Amino acid sequence: MSKDASLRASRLHPSRRQLVAQGAGLATLLAPLSTLAQHVPAAPQAASTAAPRNLVASPAKVRLRPAPTPETEIWAFDGATPGPVLKVKQGESLRLSLQNRTDKPLSLHWHGLRADHAMDGVGGFSQEPVPPGGQFEYQLAPPDPGTFLYRPMLLGGSSEPAGRGLSGMLIVEEKEPPAVDLDLPALIGDWLLGDDQKLLPFAPDGQDGAAAGRLGSWLTVNGKPPPLPIKLPPGARVRLRLANACNARIMRLRFDEMKAFVAAVDGQPTETFEPVRGQLPFAPGTRYDMIFDMPETVGAAASVTALIGPGVPLARFVSEGSAKPARPAIAGMPLNPALPAAVRLQDARRSEMIIEGGAKITAENKLDLAGLDLAKPWTVNGGQGDPKGKPLFSVKRGAPVVIGITNKTAFLQPLHVHGHSFRLLHPLDDGWEPYFLDTVQIPEGKRLHIAFIADNPGRWLISSTVLERFDRGLWSWFEVT
């Protein structure tokens, strides 16, 4: 079976076993990290006096598959997909004017950014959607350095603009970044293409939103056909920033012929560690900063592979030229002092999320939509996300929070907590995994707990990162006063 065919096959009738295997939780795949430093307040930031940078969303044509295949009509930021890598230094702010030249309303969510709630970018919740022909100015003051994702997010209307190509990366640079020879952003996209290379229609009947989501037939890396070819001198040090901008594609990554270390998860630095069995779970919205050294032998290759079907190589690194001088061993970046070292679980405000609904999976591993309300296929605590309804909970700023999340569906459920970074608790609620996340994957039929300090005032979503499910109401919200 060809690579293209295997990707097409993988989107049909995904079984429970396939979905869980694609996105096993971080708790079982990441090695232990050390405890973080004590919490200190973030330094205040001055407002930017520079003119806002324009970011234009408009129709475009790009070649997603290798030539001579025809170009595909998509939507793009500034004429390209993904959008430009937006960079700002730690302690600086960014003004960005979104210009909407598409025929659909838009808004941009800054995935993982612990910023002002008015700038969170959820259309219909934290801001009014930007209408066709309209514009909106985002004023961002990132409190943390790291790797972040921007993608469309508006109630009931996220899937199509994202599936047409609107996404990009935001990098907040450290004051003293690690010394590397190449700092490489790599944004993974997923496209549902027909044989004529046109985007297949976006399902109006809700079937995608009731099941796995819009799973594509073709992956790209930075908008290009994989694998991304990289040639560097032997021994060169690489920082690889991986981000999953797919609508729904949950996968695992494998690192072949390289000793790759995780330096940050979901934008937050960790002490470096090697992935267990050389693999990492990779759901929509997830980001990893990896650091590794190129093979020392000229002509030797290393690669990053998406474990879909027989495997899809995403990037291939080849040693070429004169060797680099020997470097010290790879060391971790400074941990984020603005995040708390501990959460007093005994004092926590405890809340529950129970996720139900979605298509059933038959014994033949086929989707059964019989009797399902396709307009409202998902529920959280018996209802759907409602910006005018009651919050999941309301707490005062600085309160510790524990949320128990139960997945009663037949699908893996990746969820994103807006405006905060959290800990994944141990099963017995007697401690936590020593890394921070903003996206967690809840396996089918399982229950996990997360904990954080609610230190960012405002109204914040807890939302599915599978955009078709989010559009169909798989979200809730909480309030920090």
Side-chain angles (χ1 to χ4, degrees):
M1 181 181 292
S2 69
K3 188 185 300 180
D4 292 359
S6 68
L7 270 172
R8 284 195 295 269
S10 69
R11 72 178 298 270
L12 301 176
H13 311 312
S15 69
R16 302 182 187 184
R17 181 177 299 175
Q18 287 172 329
L19 291 166
V20 173
Q22 285 178 355
L26 276 168
T28 61
L29 291 178
L30 298 189
L33 315 178
S34 69
T35 304
L36 290 185
Q38 293 294 320
H39 168 74
V40 296
Q45 295 172 308
S48 173
T49 57
R53 183 204 192 286
N54 289 332
L55 187 66
V56 180
S58 62
K61 289 185 177 182
V62 300
R63 180 170 284 110
L64 297 173
R65 294 183 186 268
T69 57
E71 293 181 320
T72 300
E73 294 183 359
I74 66 164
W75 291 352
F77 286 123
D78 295 352
T81 187
V85 177
L86 303 174
K87 292 186 177 182
V88 62
K89 294 185 181 297
Q90 183 181 4
E92 295 180 353
S93 56
L94 174 67
R95 293 174 62 196
L96 192 84
S97 178
L98 172 62
Q99 314 279 325
N100 183 8
R101 296 179 185 171
T102 76
D103 61 1
K104 300 282 186 179
L106 290 178
S107 61
L108 288 184
H109 172 53
W110 308 91
H111 191 107
L113 205 64
R114 301 189 308 126
D116 188 320
H117 73 101
M119 296 291 112
D120 194 45
V122 182
F125 185 82
S126 61
Q127 69 169 83
E128 290 297 319
V130 183
Q135 64 181 38
F136 182 86
E137 183 175 311
Y138 291 97
Q139 301 182 23
L140 305 176
D144 312 315
T147 302
F148 306 98
L149 179 68
Y150 63 91
R151 65 199 306 219
M153 197 167 199
L154 58 164
L155 302 185
S158 305
S159 171
E160 183 170 350
R164 289 188 181 276
L166 294 181
S167 63
M169 292 175 71
L170 168 66
I171 293 176
V172 182
E173 298 176 326
E174 300 89 357
K175 293 180 179 178
E176 296 183 4
V180 296
D181 298 292
L182 176 65
D183 188 329
L184 178 63
L187 187 143
I188 314 304
D190 188 35
W191 306 84
L192 185 52
L193 302 175
D195 293 337
D196 58 0
Q197 309 311 313
K198 293 182 179 180
L199 291 172
L200 292 181
F202 289 80
D205 57 6
Q207 291 192 27
D208 282 348
R214 185 177 172 89
L215 297 178
S217 55
W218 182 250
L219 292 182
T220 56
V221 183
N222 294 341
K224 304 296 183 183
L228 188 68
I230 305 294
K231 295 181 179 180
L232 287 171
R237 184 158 292 178
V238 180
R239 178 177 185 173
L240 178 62
R241 301 176 187 259
L242 292 158
N244 186 337
C246 303
N247 274 32
R249 176 68 67 180
I250 300 170
M251 65 191 96
R252 286 182 295 150
L253 300 179
R254 187 181 68 211
F255 301 87
D256 298 318
E257 305 302 324
M258 65 168 68
K259 194 176 181 66
F261 293 86
V262 178
V265 182
D266 284 354
Q268 298 298 341
T270 74
E271 289 190 0
T272 54
F273 64 93
E274 290 186 71
V276 176
R277 296 185 296 277
Q279 298 181 17
L280 289 170
F282 199 46
T286 298
R287 292 96 60 216
Y288 295 109
D289 287 47
M290 312 294 297
I291 298 180
F292 65 92
D293 291 335
M294 291 290 293
E296 296 183 356
T297 304
V298 173
S303 62
V304 180
T305 299
L307 299 181
I308 303 171
V312 180
L314 300 177
R316 188 171 186 268
F317 299 85
V318 178
S319 292
E320 182 178 274
S322 301
K324 284 283 186 178
R327 287 183 179 272
I330 293 174
M333 298 180 292
L335 304 180
N336 189 351
L339 293 177
V343 179
R344 289 180 57 84
L345 301 180
Q346 63 271 33
D347 298 331
R349 166 69 161 84
R350 293 183 175 264
S351 188
E352 297 289 330
M353 288 184 67
I354 300 175
I355 302 172
E356 296 179 290
K360 296 180 180 180
I361 298 178
T362 69
E364 294 79 23
N365 289 327
K366 295 182 179 180
L367 297 178
D368 180 7
L369 299 170
L372 184 66
D373 183 352
L374 292 177
K376 298 179 180 180
W378 306 100
T379 63
V380 176
N381 295 348
Q384 292 194 298
D386 182 357
K388 297 181 180 180
K390 291 183 178 180
L392 187 66
F393 58 86
S394 180
V395 294
K396 292 184 177 180
R397 184 178 187 179
V401 172
V402 172
I403 305 176
I405 308 173
T406 302
N407 178 8
K408 292 187 175 182
T409 77
F411 298 88
L412 186 76
Q413 298 290 354
L415 297 178
H416 169 51
V417 178
H418 293 227
H420 295 77
S421 294
F422 58 81
R423 300 282 202 179
L424 178 61
L425 298 187
H426 292 159
L428 297 179
D429 204 11
D430 57 354
W432 47 77
E433 300 296 333
Y435 45 78
F436 283 95
L437 302 168
D438 57 54
T439 298
V440 64
Q441 300 177 55
I442 315 295
E444 56 166 348
K446 299 295 183 181
R447 173 181 169 86
L448 296 179
H449 291 80
I450 62 173
F452 59 94
I453 302 296
D455 58 0
N456 201 353
R459 304 195 325 158
W460 302 101
L461 290 190
I462 303 176
S463 60
S464 175
T465 67
V466 175
L467 294 181
E468 290 74 26
R469 300 179 197 174
F470 172 71
D471 284 351
R472 297 296 187 269
L474 208 172
W475 59 274
S476 187
W477 64 279
F478 64 96
E479 183 178 41
V480 182
T481 60

